[in-house]
Amino acid sequence: MTGQPLPGFRDFFPPEHSALRVIFQAWREASRRSGFMEYEGPELESLELYTEKSGEEIVGQLYHFKDKGDREVALRPEMTPTFARMVASQHRNYRKPIKWFSIPRLFRYERPQRGRHREHYQWNCDMVGEKSAAAEAELIGTLCQAFGLLGLGPKDVVVKISDRSWWDTFLAKHGVDEQEKPGVLRTLDRLEGATAEQRKEKLGRLAGPVEEAWQGQGADSEGLMAVRRGVEQLGYGDWCENDLRVVRGLAYYTGVVFEVHDRAGKLRAVAGGGRYDGLLKKLGGEDLPATGFGMGDAVLAELLREKNIAGEKLSGADIFVVAEAGERELALGLVGQLRRGGFSADYDPGTGKWGKQLELAEAKGARWALLVGREAGEGRLGLKELASRKQTELKWRKEAGGNIILEPAPGEWAKVVG
Ligand code: HAM
């Protein structure tokens, strides 16, 4: 036993978990503002779901095994096949367009590196039933919204938009058949940062036409330009650029695709997605158009750290009740009542001295210390705001039913101490 998790797996101690929570809150809030509804699926799926639908790269990274019932199963490496499977089986019960989101933990056996792990959380937003460019625009607008909520803007990140169907036409025109295509797309996907010499070597006869295509930057793709207009109308035009170099590694994309990168280009993609119109039908469902994206927590956390955008303040309960040994009963009564009243309250469960209890209150990051000292017998309590060290007095009394009344009530404390 080393005390360490497996390579590529992460422990989230409370400070890291608090940073993760900030990210989740922004994801949930952006989903809510754009009208996406939350769903969840199983962590374990049949291996076949991925071998058939995800494309070679992800299949090579699967955690898979035989379960005790002799089934070939895999930990989910992405959410899209599960989403498509769920929608294919139940879509008749939902009005279109279906707009759902989820924040699954995903598993890929990748080489661990900065922003890449063997598990990560990924915010997925997907839309089914809308074939127009409004769908991609809506998704891009939603992801920009989340960045905005986290304090990031178009100076920090860029949405690079491309068109997979444009590439399909291009490759067909240059004699690349269906069998060769996945390999060529994978090569294109990995050209980021390659020199002209390396590009020539990797692309062979396609190198010239590809360079030429890149110069045009997809201005001749109607689909791509329609998405650009939609995003502009939603107010996020300056977040986007056309970039035909984005082809996406996954097999199921059929139309406009996009990736979000840090402007400085130092990190791997923060998010990626696009249109995957054929997937639902392949999973035995109806032929419904679909679009979506996934945004990972790991690269995003790196970016936030780099921009010095702090996570949430680490804190336990808001109110810490500090008591003299003889006032313990009243203190516990107060803790219980505060909690039932919707406040977060904590105390020292041991028998620490007054000073030690106050130290614990500070160490736990509480805002208030409610002081139950000797004057409690006369109906008086102390209240201290720990950060400002300001102190005041409160009155308490017990009602006939046993309820404890505090005056002023906790909701008023900021006013009386401030
Ligand atoms: P993806 O591009 O494979 O797309 O992943 C989306 C994002 O998840 C990446 O941009 C990255 O931020 C994060 N990510 C992926 N792998 C890792 C990893 N090993 N460690 C840390 N973060 C990672 C998909 O998965 C598609 N299913 C997205 C989608 C949804 N397309 C349509 N709907």
Side-chain angles (χ1 to χ4, degrees), residues 158-162 192 241 243 245-246 257-259 261:
V158 52
V159 185
K160 298 183 174 183
I161 311 181
S162 175
E192 185 83 54
E241 276 173 12
D243 192 339
R245 286 174 301 181
V246 173
V257 287
F258 48 88
E259 271 178 8
H261 290 257

Side-chain angles (χ1 to χ4, degrees), residues 58 77-80 106 108 110 115-120 122 124-126 248 250 252-253 269-274 276 291-296 298-299:
I58 279 201
E78 58 158 337
M79 196 61 169
T80 313
L106 306 175
R108 299 181 188 182
E110 288 204 50
R116 275 291 181 279
H117 309 288
R118 289 182 176 161
E119 52 69 30
H120 70 284
Q122 195 189 88
N124 278 249
C125 281
D126 289 85
R248 309 278 299 129
L250 292 154
Y252 44 69
Y253 293 111
V270 194
Y276 53 100
T291 38
F293 70 80
M295 184 187 295
V299 186

Side-chain angles (χ1 to χ4, degrees), residues 80 142 163 214 261 271 293 353:
T80 313
T142 302
D163 184 353
W214 280 353
H261 290 257
F293 70 80
K353 296 230 159 55

